[in-house]
Amino acid sequence: MAPILHSSQQWVEKYRPKQVKDVAHQDEVVRVLTNTLETGSCPHMLFYGPPGTGKTTTALAIAHQLFGSELYKSRVLELNASDDRGINVVRTKIKDFAAVAVGTNHPKSGYPCPPFKIIVLDEADSMTEDAQNALRRTMETYSKVTRFFFICNYISRIIEPLASRCAKFRFKPLSEDIMSSRILYICKEEGLNLDDEALSTLSSISQGDLRRAITYLQSAARLFGSSISSKDLISVSGVVPSEVVEGLLAACKSGNFDLANKEVNNFIAEGYPVSQMLNQLIDIIVDKDDISDEQKARICKKLGEVDKRLVDGADEYLQLLDVASNTMQAFGDKPEGFTYEG
Amino acid sequence: MLWVDKYRPKTLDHVMVHDLIAQNLKKLVTEQDCPHLLFYGPSGSGKKTLIMALLRQMFGPGAEKVKVENRTWKVDAGSRSIDIELTTLQSANHTEISPSDAGFQDRYVVQEIIKDMAKNRPIDTKGKKGGFKVLVLNDVDKLSREAQHSLRRTMEKYSAYCRLILCCNSSSRVTEAIRSRCLNVRINAPSEEQIADVLEFIGKKEGLQLPSGFAARIAEKSNRNLRRAILSFETCRVQQYPFTSKQAIPPMDWEEYISEIASDIMKEQSPKRLFQVRGKLYELLINCIPPEIILKRLVYELLRKLDDELKHEVCHWASYYEHRMRLGQKAIFHIEAFVAKFMSVYKSFLIATFG
């Protein structure tokens, strides 16, 4: 593969921490892994947590630090969800790789080179249950020469037998301070100008996901040049401006159906993604003090239902209109269910 | 040549409606730092126009010399090989396809064609015009989940050879993984004033006399869809010229048909009427009006005529049946179910109100 032009390199890749100790905010994991680097012993690991908190980064960094770039190819197998990972792959590719024995001594390289290989299974929660089951025995049989790193967002989708074979580490969402310091560092390296307002907007729209924050930052930098305002960030992130969300809520409060319908129509014509709208609506609704708990429950129930429908590919306009109508009913404390349903 | 094509802006400098976006895109190209792009917005807002202008900016006038080709791919899928046929639009530097036309086999198409392009990539990687090709994918929101998943790996793997430009209506249906790998560009529908401006501009170029307020009226009828506004403007021109200030703007025939259906439903609620309505719905479906558009228009017509009290109920059921239509196979069942539901609701409303 030809080398990628330097300018078009993703900043996410460019600023990925290369060493375990540089991984921000995840103290327990870092402590355990530093220990691993010293002693060369390591359990199977399971990293879980929300996206953009450094799970993959940690796994890759430890692999690199253990083996160095020379041995990396022969000692580490990386598989993520876009590779084919059905039960056949588990039975052949993973098993073959796991079964190979490794030599113990590589004193020249200067890396610890412990006597085992690492298989990194990124996005392990999208593996089928069958494939996960097929892994159980493999993990134990070859545990002398192979360590598994599972990386996933939802631990509940990893079957219990696998989870119990691993040391589990939860990755916390990054706090605002840590995000800001990382972002400011990147800005300095890239020669960007970011004011305080833009910085706080960036932390709030990325919701603790550092990767997303960096991606937004890069997009904005590409489009708008070196000085970036908070409006620019909002426009590249696809976040709906809060005035628009408030506008829709106000229309719902007014109890005028046609007004709400008009708002919905405008919203669609402006081209905002409805799924994003639902996310922001739910944040606002849950925080509002002037809505009773019962009303909140009713609105949220509908939001959940509509979110599922959107995933199924339903039409955005009709679904958003349904949300608006339901919200309006809830605000007006109209009885649930319909009068004329016959 | 239709006015829609004749007055389509050819370069980013001539774009009238989204001039700000166009300037930003131009900056992207001149800096030689073009990421993958995802354009999203309602139809008729100018996504395609911007994409074509962008390609021209990248590759010069050569980007407009496209040839249409019907290609067949042989793909090995596990044990058997399948043939996939798809229409492509190609120029020397870019390829355009609508992969969702291949149905559930779309993932093979996406992978194959990108690999294909990577194989025949332009040689002068240090050349001025960028050492990559561009693949334009239409309707990415209609791609299956699997295809979207395989796309994201492909995007990274071949990013040195080819750039993707994705185009879709609703970005909700594109997975987060793809969205986060692209520069997202939201194209909003032009406002009515902007549409009116464009119409007046075209009128001037054609040497037409526009009565005041005429362009604004067409714009209002167009639902903020520029393509539709220009088309109906041209229809008006054909029907009657010189324009008079009170000239009627002909609605689309299918819209009129649906409004007829709506008033049919409002007039009588009975199995017999339902049967008649079914015939009309079939007529629309046979004429290739997409079912969700029929349902949406029908809801629009019904909502106009109803009491506030009933509107909530109707829009609830509309969204309910639209969702089912998406899950199900045959659209007519669900539209008809909606009509039947509406009839029953409306009838009990009438009985409750008037006895």
Side-chain angles (χ1 to χ4, degrees), chain A residues 1 82 123 215 219 222-223 258 266 269-271 273 275 309 312-316 319 322 325 338 340, chain B residues 27 35 40 42 152-153 157 171-172 180 183 186 188-189 224 296 309 311-313 319 322-323 326 348:
Chain A
M1 207 171 130
S82 33
E123 290 153 62
T215 313
S219 305
R222 276 171 166 161
L223 268 184
D258 294 322
N266 266 337
E270 287 298 321
S275 53
R309 288 184 186 166
D312 286 340
D315 183 81
E316 294 194 313
Q319 298 305 334
D322 193 18
S325 137
F338 296 109
Y340 305 110
Chain B
K27 209 156 63 188
Y40 63 97
R152 66 180 194 184
R153 182 92 185 103
K157 213 164 153 190
S171 75
S172 302
S180 71
L183 180 55
R186 178 173 62 87
N188 59 332
R224 295 179 69 181
K296 252 158 76 173
E309 221 181 323
K311 283 179 180 168
H312 296 289
E313 199 158 340
S319 65
E322 201 274 337
H323 174 229
R326 192 68 63 165
S348 47

Side-chain angles (χ1 to χ4, degrees), chain B residues 228-285:
Chain B
R228 197 172 148 182
I230 299 177
L231 280 173
S232 57
F233 183 43
E234 194 168 2
T235 321
C236 289
R237 164 75 177 80
V238 173
Q239 276 182 341
Q240 186 185 0
Y241 186 77
F243 297 125
T244 53
S245 53
K246 288 208 185 67
Q247 182 174 354
I249 292 142
M252 300 281 205
D253 47 356
W254 62 271
E255 284 184 1
E256 208 154 340
Y257 203 68
I258 291 180
S259 108
E260 217 172 275
I261 295 179
S263 45
D264 278 355
I265 300 173
M266 299 287 284
K267 257 184 231 140
E268 186 187 326
Q269 297 83 35
S270 66
K272 194 168 143 245
R273 181 50 61 93
L274 186 60
F275 183 70
Q276 287 167 357
V277 168
R278 178 198 291 173
K280 291 191 173 178
L281 289 173
Y282 258 127
E283 185 70 32
L284 284 167
L285 287 171

Side-chain angles (χ1 to χ4, degrees), chain B residues 29-207:
Chain B
V29 176
T30 42
E31 278 170 12
Q32 291 273 315
D33 179 22
C34 189
H36 300 301
L37 295 167
L38 170 68
F39 288 82
Y40 63 97
S43 57
S45 58
K47 301 181 290 296
K48 223 33 191 302
T49 309
L50 275 171
I51 292 176
M52 289 316 292
L54 179 70
L55 286 173
R56 196 189 147 107
Q57 183 79 37
M58 283 176 176
F59 303 117
E64 277 160 34
K65 294 198 186 91
V66 287
K67 59 173 194 249
V68 183
E69 206 179 336
N70 232 335
R71 289 187 55 185
T72 322
W73 281 279
K74 264 199 162 27
V75 181
D76 287 323
S79 50
R80 68 218 160 80
S81 82
I82 32 177
D83 288 337
I84 302 170
E85 222 176 281
L86 209 63
T87 318
T88 61
L89 272 173
Q90 266 180 317
S91 79
N93 294 304
H94 87 279
T95 308
E96 183 182 333
I97 51 170
S98 310
S100 52
D101 290 353
F104 63 94
Q105 285 147 347
D106 47 5
R107 61 178 285 203
Y108 303 116
V109 176
V110 172
Q111 280 172 339
E112 281 302 307
I113 191 166
I114 295 180
K115 274 182 207 155
D116 221 47
M117 286 175 69
K119 262 187 242 156
N120 319 321
R121 73 196 178 104
I123 298 164
D124 61 331
T125 36
K126 290 195 183 78
K128 281 265 151 50
K129 293 288 176 200
F132 55 82
K133 286 190 170 189
V134 171
L135 176 63
V136 182
L137 296 180
N138 291 322
D139 300 329
V140 248
D141 47 351
K142 293 202 186 105
L143 277 180
S144 65
R145 283 280 126 142
E146 295 79 48
Q148 293 196 19
H149 271 301
S150 64
L151 192 60
R152 66 180 194 184
R153 182 92 185 103
T154 326
M155 278 167 95
E156 284 176 345
K157 213 164 153 190
Y158 296 102
S159 65
Y161 316 124
C162 96
R163 290 287 134 64
L164 293 178
I165 295 182
L166 312 173
C167 177
C168 68
N169 282 138
S170 79
S171 75
S172 302
R173 263 178 249 161
V174 181
T175 56
E176 174 63 42
I178 291 186
R179 270 186 281 159
S180 71
R181 282 171 175 77
C182 297
L183 180 55
N184 295 8
V185 186
R186 178 173 62 87
I187 313 288
N188 59 332
S191 70
E192 285 176 11
E193 292 83 47
Q194 282 172 320
I195 292 183
D197 285 350
V198 173
L199 292 181
E200 260 154 32
F201 168 79
I202 292 177
K204 217 197 264 162
K205 284 262 172 182
E206 288 285 318

